[in-house]
Structure formats: C-alpha cells, structure tokens
Amino acid sequence: MTRVPKIVPWTSTEEYVGVGECLYSQDLSEQKRGVAVVKAWRARARVPPAIDATANLVEAMVADHELGVSISQQRHMYAMVLIRFVNSIVDLEQKGVYAQSMASLASRIGMPAWFVELRHACTHEQIPSLAVLRSTCTQALHWLDDYYWKKQSRTLPADTMDRVRAAISDYVSAYQTVKSLAQGSGTNAPEVAAFETAKASLKKLLEVLHSDAVRLYVVPVLLEPGALVPEDKRQRAKFPECAMPPGLARQWSGLLRLLSEVWSESLIYEELLAGILGALLPESNDLGIFETSASALSTSHAATLVAWVRWILAKHYSPDNTETSTVGIDSLLETCLRNPGYYSRAVLKVVADIDSSLKRELKIFVDFMGKALAALVAADSKAKKNAMLSEATLKEEEDLMQQRLNSVLGADTEPMDVDAALPDPSEPSVQPAANRWSRVPCDLWSACPIGTLGDSSIPELDLPAYLDDIPPQLEA
C-alpha cells in the first residue's frame, strides 16, 4: 500500500496555480513569464505533457505577435507545436501490446477528432492556412484548460482540506443528532432537514473532487484525533484485544457509506487501510527495524486504528473468495512484514484471525516479532538499570579507586588532591624538554590575522619554479 512519491518540478501548489494563471492570462508579459517558468521546470524534472503542450502553444502565439517572420515560417511553427500537442497527449493512452490508431485513442480521452486530422495534414499533407492554424491553437488551449487545468484546480487549492473537514464535521454532527432522535421519541423535521442539507453539501463537494482527493484530503481528515479515533481515551480500544469500541463503527458507518456512493468501496477502504498503516508504521525509521523509541501515537490511539483494520477486513475482505472482496491484503501483508514492530505484529494477528488459511504461516512471523520485541525490551530494561547507579554505589567505586591508588603509591601516601595537582594558569609554564609541546606564556602572545605570521606578514607558500620542470627520466 506504500505509494511511491511523485517528483514534480514546482516547489509549491501556489507556484503551480500561478503558472497556469499566467499561461491563460490576456497580458502578453504574463504569458511570457509563464512560459519562462515552464522552461525552468524542464531543467528540474519531467514536466507533465499537458503543461508542456500548453507552454508550447502559448509560446507560439507570443512569437506570432512579436516576431517579424514570414507567413510560411509562422505556419511551420504552428504546425510543429500542434503535432507535438496531439502526439504527447494521445501517446499517453498507448498502453497495450499492439498499437492502436490515434483516432481511437483521442476519442477515449475526449479529444476532438479534427485535432488528429489536422495533425495528419501537417505531417503528411499540405500545411493548412495560417488562419486555420491560429484557430486550432486557440481551440487546443481551451481543450487543455477544460480537460487538465480545471480538473486539477479542483483538488489543488489550499483550503480544500478545510472545506472537506468542515463538510464532514457538519455531516457527522447532523447524522448523530438524527440517530439519537430516532432512538428516542422520533425525529423532528428541522433536524432531518439539517441532516439532508449537510449530506447534500458534502456529496456536492466530493463529486467535484478528483479520486486522488480520497488519499490527499478525506483519509487524513478521518485519521485526525476526534474522528475515527475519539479524543476521549476511555472510548478507545485497548491492547492486546483491539476490539472496536461500542458504537464507534455505527457512528461513522453513514459517512463511509456516503463516500462509497460517491466513489467506490474498493477505493475508499484501500486508501483508508493505507492511511492507517502509514500512521501505525511510519517509514521514517533511521534506527533500523524493531524500533522501540517513543512513537507519535499513544497506545490507545494505535489500538483503535488496529480495531478499524479488523472492522474493515471483517466487512470487506472475503478469505474464501478473493474475487468478491472489496479490499485485498497483499499490500497490507507486505507493508507489515517490511516494517516489523509491535503495531505491525498486532495487524498480522488481526489478519490471522480473519483469514484462517494464513494463520499457520503468519504465526511464524508473529512469534518471531514477539520474541525479538521481548528481547529488546529486556535489553533496554537492563541498560536502564545499569545506568541508574545509586549514590552509594558511586561512593563505593570512588573508595575502591582510592585504595588502588594508595597501594600503587605507598600505604602512607595521603589521598591525592586533584585540584591542587593542576597547574596554576596564572603562572608561566616551565620550559619544556626538547621535542615536546608546551603552552606559551600569555604575555608572549601577539594577535595576528588568521593565515599570517606573528609579524602580520603573509608567508610565501609557492614552490620554487624549478620544480615545474620534471626530468625526462622521472617522467618515464
């Protein structure tokens, strides 16, 4: 479930959005600035084909306004960028063993067929007129805006996380109110209306988001304290049982059902499992496997997350028929086995309880992790015990060392006063014997810049010129 991070050339979301605004600006100077930034991006990393094509089309239109070139040169310039535009976008869909026609691939992604026909004419036939090429360039920019830039902007604004968090909070609050009223004397029309309004608002917000929003926004919000994991520790699960607290799954089942309606159960629960494992098993582990240092998660928090893993697998994983399962466990097992520890061991025990066919194989790893963790805990406890020497123990060590010193120097020797044995820094040091280092008296020091001699002169460190001439016999 671990995702390989994507390397992008832009440094922030704001920079990405700003470049898109510059490329589609009506100001010529802003268009130039957008094209220049994309050129800088190309030097950093691979630029997405849609951004690359947009910058090329805009650069061609800017050159058409400024450069005093012939009509033939303008036609060839437009023809080249349009050919590159169609090829770079359509070739992304060429994934099969056998090559498919560009027309079929273009229809699959919603690209107008006449873009492909014009590309064919520019490549193999007579280049169309300048008016047709200019119009096609404008239409291509509109198409890229609709099919790339606007879709990306739905998930990129910085306030998307806040909007998703607020919408989920309103929905859950209204859902709990309606449920509590239904269990009592009945529901009231205002509460039901508020719930339907919150549900419609959340659904409308989620429908305009890309599926990546599940991983980027929805799952992080669900994993925040106070959501799937209650803030009150008394309402959380406990190790080693990791049983789901009463009412917690029922409290969030309505939201999870709504998310599955907008997207799919497979997407929701796969991403939720990945997010839970990411919280339980952070990959930034510089000290090696079986890390025993303090984790950012409390024990009750981690136990509740493990309880959610159990709930998801029990509801949406079928050991007998994996084809009908909503979620798979291959990535989950790989992540846990690659990151052995207390929490990964708990997750493996949950999988073994749900899938009896894997119980025997997983027992080997669970037992090994248990023994390794017990050994680490014992070693850590022993190290702490050895480090916590009492004052009496330190006194005994000091007396023993003094006795050994007296036996070496003589029985009648008085205990050595260490402070009295140190030299007085105010007195000049005794002249040293030959070939020994000594401290120069302070009154003989003279300040000088770093890299100079005592008289502030710069020493000549160049080697003599005759050393540049190497005798022929040495070269051989």
Side-chain angles (χ1 to χ4, degrees), residues 227-260:
L228 295 182
V229 180
E231 292 184 348
D232 189 355
K233 293 186 177 181
R234 295 172 297 179
Q235 300 178 3
R236 295 179 179 178
K238 295 180 175 61
F239 283 113
E241 295 83 6
C242 297
M244 179 65 72
L248 183 60
R250 185 170 60 254
Q251 175 184 349
W252 291 93
S253 59
L255 174 63
L256 295 175
R257 193 180 308 112
L258 176 62
L259 296 175
S260 301

PDB file of all heavy atoms in Angstrom, residues 227-260:
ATOM      1  N   ALA A 227     -11.880  11.977  15.133  1.00  0.00           N
ATOM      2  CA  ALA A 227     -12.675  11.403  14.034  1.00  0.00           C
ATOM      3  C   ALA A 227     -12.804   9.898  14.270  1.00  0.00           C
ATOM      4  O   ALA A 227     -13.501   9.484  15.184  1.00  0.00           O
ATOM      5  CB  ALA A 227     -12.015  11.716  12.690  1.00  0.00           C
ATOM      6  N   LEU A 228     -12.156   9.086  13.438  1.00  0.00           N
ATOM      7  CA  LEU A 228     -12.239   7.638  13.648  1.00  0.00           C
ATOM      8  C   LEU A 228     -11.648   7.228  14.999  1.00  0.00           C
ATOM      9  O   LEU A 228     -12.030   6.182  15.548  1.00  0.00           O
ATOM     10  CB  LEU A 228     -11.506   6.904  12.518  1.00  0.00           C
ATOM     11  CG  LEU A 228     -12.094   7.049  11.113  1.00  0.00           C
ATOM     12  CD1 LEU A 228     -11.282   6.216  10.119  1.00  0.00           C
ATOM     13  CD2 LEU A 228     -13.558   6.652  11.064  1.00  0.00           C
ATOM     14  N   VAL A 229     -10.746   8.010  15.508  1.00  0.00           N
ATOM     15  CA  VAL A 229     -10.169   7.760  16.841  1.00  0.00           C
ATOM     16  C   VAL A 229     -10.685   8.843  17.784  1.00  0.00           C
ATOM     17  O   VAL A 229     -10.344  10.014  17.635  1.00  0.00           O
ATOM     18  CB  VAL A 229      -8.637   7.784  16.801  1.00  0.00           C
ATOM     19  CG1 VAL A 229      -8.059   7.532  18.188  1.00  0.00           C
ATOM     20  CG2 VAL A 229      -8.111   6.748  15.814  1.00  0.00           C
ATOM     21  N   PRO A 230     -11.537   8.492  18.762  1.00  0.00           N
ATOM     22  CA  PRO A 230     -12.088   9.509  19.670  1.00  0.00           C
ATOM     23  C   PRO A 230     -10.995  10.185  20.488  1.00  0.00           C
ATOM     24  O   PRO A 230      -9.948   9.601  20.778  1.00  0.00           O
ATOM     25  CB  PRO A 230     -13.042   8.704  20.566  1.00  0.00           C
ATOM     26  CG  PRO A 230     -13.307   7.422  19.824  1.00  0.00           C
ATOM     27  CD  PRO A 230     -12.064   7.149  19.033  1.00  0.00           C
ATOM     28  N   GLU A 231     -11.264  11.444  20.844  1.00  0.00           N
ATOM     29  CA  GLU A 231     -10.306  12.164  21.679  1.00  0.00           C
ATOM     30  C   GLU A 231     -10.315  11.645  23.117  1.00  0.00           C
ATOM     31  O   GLU A 231      -9.286  11.684  23.797  1.00  0.00           O
ATOM     32  CB  GLU A 231     -10.627  13.660  21.655  1.00  0.00           C
ATOM     33  CG  GLU A 231     -10.377  14.316  20.301  1.00  0.00           C
ATOM     34  CD  GLU A 231     -10.612  15.809  20.350  1.00  0.00           C
ATOM     35  OE1 GLU A 231     -11.185  16.282  21.357  1.00  0.00           O
ATOM     36  OE2 GLU A 231     -10.235  16.507  19.396  1.00  0.00           O
ATOM     37  N   ASP A 232     -11.469  11.171  23.566  1.00  0.00           N
ATOM     38  CA  ASP A 232     -11.562  10.607  24.916  1.00  0.00           C
ATOM     39  C   ASP A 232     -10.928   9.217  24.922  1.00  0.00           C
ATOM     40  O   ASP A 232     -11.387   8.301  24.245  1.00  0.00           O
ATOM     41  CB  ASP A 232     -13.030  10.522  25.331  1.00  0.00           C
ATOM     42  CG  ASP A 232     -13.188  10.145  26.800  1.00  0.00           C
ATOM     43  OD1 ASP A 232     -12.149   9.863  27.453  1.00  0.00           O
ATOM     44  OD2 ASP A 232     -14.326  10.130  27.299  1.00  0.00           O
ATOM     45  N   LYS A 233      -9.859   9.051  25.688  1.00  0.00           N
ATOM     46  CA  LYS A 233      -9.147   7.768  25.714  1.00  0.00           C
ATOM     47  C   LYS A 233      -9.991   6.643  26.297  1.00  0.00           C
ATOM     48  O   LYS A 233      -9.738   5.470  26.016  1.00  0.00           O
ATOM     49  CB  LYS A 233      -7.847   7.910  26.514  1.00  0.00           C
ATOM     50  CG  LYS A 233      -6.816   8.815  25.854  1.00  0.00           C
ATOM     51  CD  LYS A 233      -5.507   8.801  26.611  1.00  0.00           C
ATOM     52  CE  LYS A 233      -4.463   9.658  25.899  1.00  0.00           C
ATOM     53  NZ  LYS A 233      -3.161   9.644  26.601  1.00  0.00           N
ATOM     54  N   ARG A 234     -11.006   6.981  27.074  1.00  0.00           N
ATOM     55  CA  ARG A 234     -11.869   5.953  27.633  1.00  0.00           C
ATOM     56  C   ARG A 234     -12.757   5.312  26.563  1.00  0.00           C
ATOM     57  O   ARG A 234     -13.284   4.223  26.785  1.00  0.00           O
ATOM     58  CB  ARG A 234     -12.741   6.543  28.738  1.00  0.00           C
ATOM     59  CG  ARG A 234     -11.958   7.018  29.953  1.00  0.00           C
ATOM     60  CD  ARG A 234     -12.847   7.745  30.915  1.00  0.00           C
ATOM     61  NE  ARG A 234     -13.395   8.970  30.311  1.00  0.00           N
ATOM     62  CZ  ARG A 234     -14.232   9.806  30.939  1.00  0.00           C
ATOM     63  NH1 ARG A 234     -14.603   9.553  32.188  1.00  0.00           N
ATOM     64  NH2 ARG A 234     -14.679  10.879  30.327  1.00  0.00           N
ATOM     65  N   GLN A 235     -12.907   5.982  25.441  1.00  0.00           N
ATOM     66  CA  GLN A 235     -13.725   5.456  24.350  1.00  0.00           C
ATOM     67  C   GLN A 235     -12.878   4.780  23.269  1.00  0.00           C
ATOM     68  O   GLN A 235     -13.395   4.473  22.201  1.00  0.00           O
ATOM     69  CB  GLN A 235     -14.553   6.581  23.724  1.00  0.00           C
ATOM     70  CG  GLN A 235     -15.500   7.259  24.698  1.00  0.00           C
ATOM     71  CD  GLN A 235     -16.267   8.401  24.061  1.00  0.00           C
ATOM     72  OE1 GLN A 235     -16.139   8.658  22.865  1.00  0.00           O
ATOM     73  NE2 GLN A 235     -17.065   9.089  24.857  1.00  0.00           N
ATOM     74  N   ARG A 236     -11.622   4.554  23.542  1.00  0.00           N
ATOM     75  CA  ARG A 236     -10.737   3.941  22.554  1.00  0.00           C
ATOM     76  C   ARG A 236     -10.547   2.452  22.858  1.00  0.00           C
ATOM     77  O   ARG A 236     -10.906   1.975  23.939  1.00  0.00           O
ATOM     78  CB  ARG A 236      -9.381   4.638  22.549  1.00  0.00           C
ATOM     79  CG  ARG A 236      -9.418   6.097  22.108  1.00  0.00           C
ATOM     80  CD  ARG A 236      -8.028   6.709  22.170  1.00  0.00           C
ATOM     81  NE  ARG A 236      -8.020   8.104  21.738  1.00  0.00           N
ATOM     82  CZ  ARG A 236      -6.929   8.864  21.739  1.00  0.00           C
ATOM     83  NH1 ARG A 236      -5.759   8.361  22.144  1.00  0.00           N
ATOM     84  NH2 ARG A 236      -6.990  10.112  21.332  1.00  0.00           N
ATOM     85  N   ALA A 237      -9.974   1.760  21.882  1.00  0.00           N
ATOM     86  CA  ALA A 237      -9.671   0.340  22.061  1.00  0.00           C
ATOM     87  C   ALA A 237      -8.414   0.175  22.912  1.00  0.00           C
ATOM     88  O   ALA A 237      -7.681   1.142  23.175  1.00  0.00           O
ATOM     89  CB  ALA A 237      -9.488  -0.331  20.706  1.00  0.00           C
ATOM     90  N   LYS A 238      -8.175  -1.058  23.333  1.00  0.00           N
ATOM     91  CA  LYS A 238      -7.015  -1.351  24.180  1.00  0.00           C
ATOM     92  C   LYS A 238      -6.311  -2.592  23.655  1.00  0.00           C
ATOM     93  O   LYS A 238      -6.939  -3.493  23.093  1.00  0.00           O
ATOM     94  CB  LYS A 238      -7.443  -1.582  25.637  1.00  0.00           C
ATOM     95  CG  LYS A 238      -8.049  -0.362  26.315  1.00  0.00           C
ATOM     96  CD  LYS A 238      -8.452  -0.679  27.739  1.00  0.00           C
ATOM     97  CE  LYS A 238      -8.949   0.571  28.461  1.00  0.00           C
ATOM     98  NZ  LYS A 238     -10.150   1.141  27.794  1.00  0.00           N
ATOM     99  N   PHE A 239      -4.992  -2.603  23.827  1.00  0.00           N
ATOM    100  CA  PHE A 239      -4.201  -3.787  23.516  1.00  0.00           C
ATOM    101  C   PHE A 239      -4.339  -4.803  24.647  1.00  0.00           C
ATOM    102  O   PHE A 239      -4.523  -4.411  25.802  1.00  0.00           O
ATOM    103  CB  PHE A 239      -2.731  -3.409  23.321  1.00  0.00           C
ATOM    104  CG  PHE A 239      -2.417  -2.768  21.999  1.00  0.00           C
ATOM    105  CD1 PHE A 239      -2.020  -1.438  21.934  1.00  0.00           C
ATOM    106  CD2 PHE A 239      -2.512  -3.489  20.823  1.00  0.00           C
ATOM    107  CE1 PHE A 239      -1.725  -0.846  20.725  1.00  0.00           C
ATOM    108  CE2 PHE A 239      -2.209  -2.909  19.609  1.00  0.00           C
ATOM    109  CZ  PHE A 239      -1.813  -1.583  19.559  1.00  0.00           C
ATOM    110  N   PRO A 240      -4.267  -6.108  24.380  1.00  0.00           N
ATOM    111  CA  PRO A 240      -3.980  -6.713  23.071  1.00  0.00           C
ATOM    112  C   PRO A 240      -5.232  -7.077  22.281  1.00  0.00           C
ATOM    113  O   PRO A 240      -5.118  -7.538  21.159  1.00  0.00           O
ATOM    114  CB  PRO A 240      -3.207  -7.976  23.466  1.00  0.00           C
ATOM    115  CG  PRO A 240      -3.816  -8.377  24.774  1.00  0.00           C
ATOM    116  CD  PRO A 240      -4.184  -7.099  25.470  1.00  0.00           C
ATOM    117  N   GLU A 241      -6.444  -6.870  22.863  1.00  0.00           N
ATOM    118  CA  GLU A 241      -7.653  -7.306  22.172  1.00  0.00           C
ATOM    119  C   GLU A 241      -7.919  -6.489  20.917  1.00  0.00           C
ATOM    120  O   GLU A 241      -8.301  -7.021  19.872  1.00  0.00           O
ATOM    121  CB  GLU A 241      -8.857  -7.216  23.110  1.00  0.00           C
ATOM    122  CG  GLU A 241      -8.796  -8.153  24.299  1.00  0.00           C
ATOM    123  CD  GLU A 241      -7.958  -7.565  25.414  1.00  0.00           C
ATOM    124  OE1 GLU A 241      -7.545  -6.392  25.281  1.00  0.00           O
ATOM    125  OE2 GLU A 241      -7.701  -8.274  26.402  1.00  0.00           O
ATOM    126  N   CYS A 242      -7.742  -5.154  21.014  1.00  0.00           N
ATOM    127  CA  CYS A 242      -8.014  -4.236  19.885  1.00  0.00           C
ATOM    128  C   CYS A 242      -9.448  -4.421  19.374  1.00  0.00           C
ATOM    129  O   CYS A 242      -9.685  -4.486  18.163  1.00  0.00           O
ATOM    130  CB  CYS A 242      -7.010  -4.457  18.760  1.00  0.00           C
ATOM    131  SG  CYS A 242      -5.305  -4.111  19.199  1.00  0.00           S
ATOM    132  N   ALA A 243     -10.384  -4.516  20.302  1.00  0.00           N
ATOM    133  CA  ALA A 243     -11.792  -4.665  19.925  1.00  0.00           C
ATOM    134  C   ALA A 243     -12.385  -3.296  19.639  1.00  0.00           C
ATOM    135  O   ALA A 243     -12.037  -2.297  20.291  1.00  0.00           O
ATOM    136  CB  ALA A 243     -12.566  -5.357  21.043  1.00  0.00           C
ATOM    137  N   MET A 244     -13.278  -3.229  18.658  1.00  0.00           N
ATOM    138  CA  MET A 244     -13.908  -1.965  18.293  1.00  0.00           C
ATOM    139  C   MET A 244     -14.763  -1.451  19.451  1.00  0.00           C
ATOM    140  O   MET A 244     -15.616  -2.175  19.971  1.00  0.00           O
ATOM    141  CB  MET A 244     -14.772  -2.163  17.054  1.00  0.00           C
ATOM    142  CG  MET A 244     -15.489  -0.895  16.604  1.00  0.00           C
ATOM    143  SD  MET A 244     -14.373   0.408  16.043  1.00  0.00           S
ATOM    144  CE  MET A 244     -13.831  -0.270  14.472  1.00  0.00           C
ATOM    145  N   PRO A 245     -14.541  -0.210  19.901  1.00  0.00           N
ATOM    146  CA  PRO A 245     -15.351   0.338  20.996  1.00  0.00           C
ATOM    147  C   PRO A 245     -16.824   0.370  20.626  1.00  0.00           C
ATOM    148  O   PRO A 245     -17.178   0.547  19.457  1.00  0.00           O
ATOM    149  CB  PRO A 245     -14.783   1.755  21.171  1.00  0.00           C
ATOM    150  CG  PRO A 245     -13.405   1.689  20.613  1.00  0.00           C
ATOM    151  CD  PRO A 245     -13.469   0.714  19.489  1.00  0.00           C
ATOM    152  N   PRO A 246     -17.709   0.188  21.584  1.00  0.00           N
ATOM    153  CA  PRO A 246     -19.147   0.154  21.290  1.00  0.00           C
ATOM    154  C   PRO A 246     -19.631   1.458  20.656  1.00  0.00           C
ATOM    155  O   PRO A 246     -19.347   2.545  21.159  1.00  0.00           O
ATOM    156  CB  PRO A 246     -19.784  -0.066  22.671  1.00  0.00           C
ATOM    157  CG  PRO A 246     -18.697  -0.640  23.515  1.00  0.00           C
ATOM    158  CD  PRO A 246     -17.425  -0.070  23.001  1.00  0.00           C
ATOM    159  N   GLY A 247     -20.350   1.326  19.569  1.00  0.00           N
ATOM    160  CA  GLY A 247     -20.956   2.478  18.919  1.00  0.00           C
ATOM    161  C   GLY A 247     -20.054   3.263  17.994  1.00  0.00           C
ATOM    162  O   GLY A 247     -20.535   4.134  17.246  1.00  0.00           O
ATOM    163  N   LEU A 248     -18.741   3.007  18.005  1.00  0.00           N
ATOM    164  CA  LEU A 248     -17.836   3.807  17.177  1.00  0.00           C
ATOM    165  C   LEU A 248     -18.035   3.517  15.691  1.00  0.00           C
ATOM    166  O   LEU A 248     -18.109   4.443  14.874  1.00  0.00           O
ATOM    167  CB  LEU A 248     -16.381   3.530  17.573  1.00  0.00           C
ATOM    168  CG  LEU A 248     -15.319   4.360  16.842  1.00  0.00           C
ATOM    169  CD1 LEU A 248     -15.531   5.846  17.078  1.00  0.00           C
ATOM    170  CD2 LEU A 248     -13.919   3.947  17.278  1.00  0.00           C
ATOM    171  N   ALA A 249     -18.134   2.241  15.325  1.00  0.00           N
ATOM    172  CA  ALA A 249     -18.343   1.901  13.918  1.00  0.00           C
ATOM    173  C   ALA A 249     -19.698   2.393  13.433  1.00  0.00           C
ATOM    174  O   ALA A 249     -19.832   2.878  12.299  1.00  0.00           O
ATOM    175  CB  ALA A 249     -18.227   0.393  13.727  1.00  0.00           C
ATOM    176  N   ARG A 250     -20.723   2.292  14.285  1.00  0.00           N
ATOM    177  CA  ARG A 250     -22.047   2.770  13.888  1.00  0.00           C
ATOM    178  C   ARG A 250     -22.062   4.283  13.707  1.00  0.00           C
ATOM    179  O   ARG A 250     -22.788   4.822  12.865  1.00  0.00           O
ATOM    180  CB  ARG A 250     -23.062   2.344  14.949  1.00  0.00           C
ATOM    181  CG  ARG A 250     -24.507   2.673  14.611  1.00  0.00           C
ATOM    182  CD  ARG A 250     -25.475   2.027  15.580  1.00  0.00           C
ATOM    183  NE  ARG A 250     -25.259   2.459  16.960  1.00  0.00           N
ATOM    184  CZ  ARG A 250     -24.697   1.702  17.899  1.00  0.00           C
ATOM    185  NH1 ARG A 250     -24.286   0.468  17.604  1.00  0.00           N
ATOM    186  NH2 ARG A 250     -24.537   2.156  19.127  1.00  0.00           N
ATOM    187  N   GLN A 251     -21.241   4.973  14.468  1.00  0.00           N
ATOM    188  CA  GLN A 251     -21.179   6.427  14.372  1.00  0.00           C
ATOM    189  C   GLN A 251     -20.642   6.892  13.026  1.00  0.00           C
ATOM    190  O   GLN A 251     -21.072   7.927  12.500  1.00  0.00           O
ATOM    191  CB  GLN A 251     -20.296   6.963  15.504  1.00  0.00           C
ATOM    192  CG  GLN A 251     -20.052   8.458  15.464  1.00  0.00           C
ATOM    193  CD  GLN A 251     -19.101   8.906  16.562  1.00  0.00           C
ATOM    194  OE1 GLN A 251     -18.772   8.130  17.478  1.00  0.00           O
ATOM    195  NE2 GLN A 251     -18.655  10.141  16.485  1.00  0.00           N
ATOM    196  N   TRP A 252     -19.719   6.128  12.422  1.00  0.00           N
ATOM    197  CA  TRP A 252     -19.071   6.546  11.186  1.00  0.00           C
ATOM    198  C   TRP A 252     -19.501   5.730   9.971  1.00  0.00           C
ATOM    199  O   TRP A 252     -19.033   6.001   8.859  1.00  0.00           O
ATOM    200  CB  TRP A 252     -17.550   6.436  11.340  1.00  0.00           C
ATOM    201  CG  TRP A 252     -17.020   7.447  12.296  1.00  0.00           C
ATOM    202  CD1 TRP A 252     -16.818   7.275  13.633  1.00  0.00           C
ATOM    203  CD2 TRP A 252     -16.664   8.799  12.008  1.00  0.00           C
ATOM    204  NE1 TRP A 252     -16.339   8.425  14.204  1.00  0.00           N
ATOM    205  CE2 TRP A 252     -16.237   9.388  13.223  1.00  0.00           C
ATOM    206  CE3 TRP A 252     -16.654   9.575  10.851  1.00  0.00           C
ATOM    207  CZ2 TRP A 252     -15.812  10.702  13.301  1.00  0.00           C
ATOM    208  CZ3 TRP A 252     -16.225  10.891  10.937  1.00  0.00           C
ATOM    209  CH2 TRP A 252     -15.818  11.434  12.145  1.00  0.00           C
ATOM    210  N   SER A 253     -20.372   4.742  10.160  1.00  0.00           N
ATOM    211  CA  SER A 253     -20.789   3.911   9.030  1.00  0.00           C
ATOM    212  C   SER A 253     -21.564   4.708   7.988  1.00  0.00           C
ATOM    213  O   SER A 253     -21.449   4.450   6.785  1.00  0.00           O
ATOM    214  CB  SER A 253     -21.636   2.743   9.542  1.00  0.00           C
ATOM    215  OG  SER A 253     -22.784   3.222  10.232  1.00  0.00           O
ATOM    216  N   GLY A 254     -22.361   5.687   8.427  1.00  0.00           N
ATOM    217  CA  GLY A 254     -23.115   6.501   7.474  1.00  0.00           C
ATOM    218  C   GLY A 254     -22.209   7.297   6.549  1.00  0.00           C
ATOM    219  O   GLY A 254     -22.436   7.368   5.328  1.00  0.00           O
ATOM    220  N   LEU A 255     -21.156   7.899   7.119  1.00  0.00           N
ATOM    221  CA  LEU A 255     -20.219   8.669   6.287  1.00  0.00           C
ATOM    222  C   LEU A 255     -19.469   7.758   5.330  1.00  0.00           C
ATOM    223  O   LEU A 255     -19.302   8.088   4.149  1.00  0.00           O
ATOM    224  CB  LEU A 255     -19.242   9.420   7.183  1.00  0.00           C
ATOM    225  CG  LEU A 255     -18.116  10.160   6.458  1.00  0.00           C
ATOM    226  CD1 LEU A 255     -18.684  11.252   5.574  1.00  0.00           C
ATOM    227  CD2 LEU A 255     -17.113  10.736   7.451  1.00  0.00           C
ATOM    228  N   LEU A 256     -19.002   6.618   5.817  1.00  0.00           N
ATOM    229  CA  LEU A 256     -18.268   5.696   4.944  1.00  0.00           C
ATOM    230  C   LEU A 256     -19.167   5.181   3.821  1.00  0.00           C
ATOM    231  O   LEU A 256     -18.707   4.985   2.694  1.00  0.00           O
ATOM    232  CB  LEU A 256     -17.725   4.529   5.773  1.00  0.00           C
ATOM    233  CG  LEU A 256     -16.675   4.899   6.832  1.00  0.00           C
ATOM    234  CD1 LEU A 256     -16.308   3.682   7.662  1.00  0.00           C
ATOM    235  CD2 LEU A 256     -15.428   5.490   6.177  1.00  0.00           C
ATOM    236  N   ARG A 257     -20.454   4.996   4.114  1.00  0.00           N
ATOM    237  CA  ARG A 257     -21.382   4.566   3.076  1.00  0.00           C
ATOM    238  C   ARG A 257     -21.567   5.665   2.026  1.00  0.00           C
ATOM    239  O   ARG A 257     -21.628   5.395   0.818  1.00  0.00           O
ATOM    240  CB  ARG A 257     -22.728   4.208   3.702  1.00  0.00           C
ATOM    241  CG  ARG A 257     -23.675   3.448   2.781  1.00  0.00           C
ATOM    242  CD  ARG A 257     -24.991   3.141   3.470  1.00  0.00           C
ATOM    243  NE  ARG A 257     -24.783   2.484   4.755  1.00  0.00           N
ATOM    244  CZ  ARG A 257     -25.055   3.035   5.934  1.00  0.00           C
ATOM    245  NH1 ARG A 257     -25.552   4.267   5.987  1.00  0.00           N
ATOM    246  NH2 ARG A 257     -24.845   2.377   7.042  1.00  0.00           N
ATOM    247  N   LEU A 258     -21.635   6.921   2.477  1.00  0.00           N
ATOM    248  CA  LEU A 258     -21.770   8.038   1.535  1.00  0.00           C
ATOM    249  C   LEU A 258     -20.532   8.172   0.665  1.00  0.00           C
ATOM    250  O   LEU A 258     -20.630   8.408  -0.550  1.00  0.00           O
ATOM    251  CB  LEU A 258     -22.017   9.338   2.308  1.00  0.00           C
ATOM    252  CG  LEU A 258     -22.096  10.628   1.471  1.00  0.00           C
ATOM    253  CD1 LEU A 258     -23.262  10.556   0.498  1.00  0.00           C
ATOM    254  CD2 LEU A 258     -22.216  11.851   2.368  1.00  0.00           C
ATOM    255  N   LEU A 259     -19.351   8.004   1.248  1.00  0.00           N
ATOM    256  CA  LEU A 259     -18.123   8.075   0.465  1.00  0.00           C
ATOM    257  C   LEU A 259     -18.078   6.970  -0.582  1.00  0.00           C
ATOM    258  O   LEU A 259     -17.599   7.182  -1.703  1.00  0.00           O
ATOM    259  CB  LEU A 259     -16.912   7.969   1.391  1.00  0.00           C
ATOM    260  CG  LEU A 259     -16.716   9.105   2.407  1.00  0.00           C
ATOM    261  CD1 LEU A 259     -15.544   8.805   3.324  1.00  0.00           C
ATOM    262  CD2 LEU A 259     -16.517  10.435   1.705  1.00  0.00           C
ATOM    263  N   SER A 260     -18.584   5.796  -0.233  1.00  0.00           N
ATOM    264  CA  SER A 260     -18.611   4.683  -1.189  1.00  0.00           C
ATOM    265  C   SER A 260     -19.577   4.953  -2.332  1.00  0.00           C
ATOM    266  O   SER A 260     -19.367   4.478  -3.450  1.00  0.00           O
ATOM    267  CB  SER A 260     -19.000   3.388  -0.470  1.00  0.00           C
ATOM    268  OG  SER A 260     -18.080   3.089   0.563  1.00  0.00           O
TER     269      SER A 260
END
